[in-house]
Amino acid sequence: MAETPHHAIVFGASGLIGWAVVDQLLHSHPEPGAFSKVTAVTNRKVKLSESHWPESRTGCPDLQLVSGIDLRRGDGTTLAESLKGAVEDIHAVTHVFYLAFTSIPDDVEEVAVNRRMLQNVIDTHNLLSPNLRFVVFPGGTRGYGIYMPGGAFAPPLTEDMVNNLPPDYAKTVAYPAYRELLSAASKGRKWTWCEVCPDAIIGFTPNGSQFSLALHWAQYLSLYAHNHGVGPTSQQTRTAEIEVPFPGNAAGANSLFSPVSATKIARFMIHASVHPDACGGGQLFNIADHETPCTYGEIWPRLASWFGLVGVGPLVDLEAPIDSLKVGELPDGARQLTPGEYVAKHKDIFAQFGRRNAVDGGVGVGSQQLDSVGYWLTFDRQLSLEKLKKTGFEGNKDPVLGWFESFEMFRKVGLIL
């Protein structure tokens, strides 16, 4: 497939999608020899021995891990100087996978900071990487207006809708700024780019992630199971089934959406990057595990069953008017502890069983937003995959498998009981 060796550089490699991109590249996706070198760049300090990426093998790409790179610092020239000294063969980089993002409470400032970060990366590679061929980044359904109460568009959500966001809302989303930046920066260059749009991302990182709903619920369910005498840490035999209610309301449980595993996102990003003629030119592609949408109410029992629990519907509770809540908001008068509150209350159990990684590596500041998922997202928001299917990319996958794969990895690295 590759006429010359491909060198992929992955910014934000310790995040949900970034970890999966590196993992898939090291597993020689899309085929052996497609990439000869992978450079994983992170802001937070990461030890290669704790990354849980596959070990080096004959015929697989070489990996270099570069930690402590703050993309917010300085400008493109500053970053270029840092990466010249830290990244071997940066001049040979051919593919940029941009997965970095900084969350800031002020939405407009968040856009400005993240635009500057991407600008620094692109300026750096325009300076240092003459063989650059492709840049790819993930957007998200925030770019379809789901942070507006009730959403901005009637589903299924199609790629052309992103150009019709209400102006006041659009200025709070980074993706339009990214598109404008990349369109300008790629003019007259040999490289092209695309954007991939997921909804709920289900994946693994060894140190936790503020965007990981899978980890948030896994920590909750593993503690809930333990406290009710179920699971690998239980010291008692229980015959009665233990029910665990869905952490939300009926509308949140029954609204349609399109989850996707981080692995599938990674595989398509790599696929797109080596098919620039079909997938470049600034195109946007929705991505999901399955073209048929699902609901949290449908998958909750299967998620709970992995922990030996019986997942049931939400408690009859006070509910806010449908589609009235914003991201991070909960209705007044909720009777059950949210998953975040439950984990905080019982987190010492992780330490008791030697799961120090679970104590220090949860979802952190993302807890409030993740707790609101079952209450705030009360409207249908499923994605159309018609454009994705035309690329010839791999087909449908059971959306729950990504959760199970993540749960297995969380247990392996001690992020849950």
Side-chain angles (χ1 to χ4, degrees):
M1 180 176 290
E3 297 178 1
T4 57
H6 286 175
H7 178 180
I9 189 166
V10 184
F11 291 93
S14 62
L16 276 179
I17 307 176
W19 186 91
V21 168
V22 174
D23 181 66
Q24 288 300 302
L25 287 168
L26 295 180
H27 278 101
S28 296
H29 186 73
E31 65 182 25
F35 288 85
S36 61
K37 190 179 184 80
V38 177
T39 298
V41 180
T42 69
N43 183 16
R44 67 171 108 177
K45 295 294 183 181
V46 176
K47 295 180 180 179
L48 189 57
S49 61
E50 299 174 356
S51 70
H52 294 273
W53 287 316
E55 295 182 0
S56 178
R57 307 187 308 279
T58 302
C60 295
D62 295 328
L63 173 64
Q64 180 186 15
L65 174 60
V66 179
S67 293
I69 301 296
D70 188 350
L71 303 180
R72 298 168 297 183
R73 189 171 157 268
D75 56 16
T77 302
T78 307
L79 180 61
E81 288 301 313
S82 297
L83 292 182
K84 263 199 305 186
V87 177
E88 296 176 5
D89 299 326
I90 193 168
H91 64 281
V93 166
T94 53
H95 295 72
V96 171
F97 296 85
Y98 186 78
L99 299 313
F101 192 84
T102 295
S103 294
I104 297 173
D106 183 280
D107 292 334
V108 175
E109 181 184 357
E110 182 179 79
V111 171
V113 168
N114 282 283
R115 187 190 189 285
R116 186 168 68 249
M117 289 165 56
L118 178 58
Q119 184 76 65
N120 289 347
V121 167
I122 297 303
D123 287 350
T124 291
H125 287 288
N126 274 345
L127 283 170
L128 301 180
S129 306
N131 295 320
L132 182 62
R133 299 179 183 182
F134 206 90
V135 176
V136 56
F137 76 91
T141 46
R142 183 176 180 177
Y144 283 124
I146 72 162
Y147 279 30
M148 297 173 61
F153 306 112
L157 303 177
T158 56
E159 288 85 351
D160 58 301
M161 291 177 177
V162 298
N163 298 316
N164 298 313
L165 283 175
D168 286 347
Y169 178 87
K171 69 183 181 183
T172 69
V173 183
Y175 317 137
Y178 288 179
R179 295 176 204 125
E180 180 183 23
L181 186 163
L182 291 169
S183 294
S186 61
K187 282 184 179 178
R189 303 276 180 174
K190 297 178 182 178
W191 59 270
T192 186
W193 63 277
C194 81
E195 174 184 356
V196 179
C197 179
D199 185 20
I201 303 166
I202 311 306
F204 163 80
T205 59
N207 297 315
S209 167
Q210 73 181 83
F211 302 110
S212 180
L213 182 63
L215 176 58
H216 192 52
W217 282 359
Q219 290 196 327
Y220 168 57
L221 290 169
S222 71
L223 288 171
Y224 195 97
H226 169 83
N227 288 338
H228 289 81
V230 178
T233 57
S234 174
Q235 301 298 314
Q236 55 186 294
T237 301
R238 178 173 290 277
T239 57
E241 293 183 336
I242 301 300
E243 295 184 346
V244 56
F246 172 70
N249 56 29
N254 295 325
S255 58
L256 294 170
F257 76 117
S258 303
V260 61
S261 67
T263 297
K264 186 161 186 177
I265 302 172
R267 291 170 70 86
F268 180 70
M269 292 179 83
I270 298 167
H271 171 91
S273 77
V274 296
H275 293 91
D277 291 341
C279 299
Q283 293 186 77
L284 168 63
F285 297 92
N286 290 338
I287 183 80
D289 279 334
H290 204 287
E291 62 185 315
T292 302
C294 63
T295 70
Y296 282 123
E298 293 168 352
I299 68 174
W300 180 250
R302 295 179 65 188
L303 304 185
S305 71
W306 197 91
F307 297 89
L309 300 167
V310 177
V312 297
L315 293 174
V316 177
D317 208 343
L318 295 176
E319 298 192 10
I322 299 301
D323 300 344
S324 66
L325 296 177
K326 298 178 181 178
V327 58
E329 291 183 341
L330 296 169
D332 295 331
R335 296 205 324 261
Q336 69 183 112
L337 292 178
T338 65
E341 291 169 338
Y342 194 94
V343 171
K345 182 177 180 180
H346 299 287
K347 208 166 193 177
D348 61 310
I349 295 172
F350 288 139
Q352 293 172 21
F353 285 89
R355 308 296 199 273
R356 291 302 314 176
N357 205 13
V359 176
D360 302 326
V363 300
V365 297
S367 180
Q368 182 177 353
Q369 178 173 334
L370 295 173
D371 278 340
S372 76
V373 164
Y375 296 99
W376 145 55
L377 292 170
T378 55
F379 50 91
D380 293 344
R381 55 201 180 277
Q382 67 268 29
L383 297 171
S384 167
L385 299 190
E386 290 304 313
K387 187 174 180 181
L388 178 72
K389 289 192 292 184
K390 292 176 182 177
T391 67
F393 182 62
E394 57 197 54
N396 292 323
K397 169 185 176 182
D398 180 351
V400 174
L401 294 181
W403 293 82
F404 290 168
E405 291 162 2
S406 298
F407 293 167
E408 289 168 1
M409 289 299 295
F410 295 152
R411 183 163 283 170
K412 177 181 178 181
V413 304
L415 280 168
I416 61 175
L417 295 174

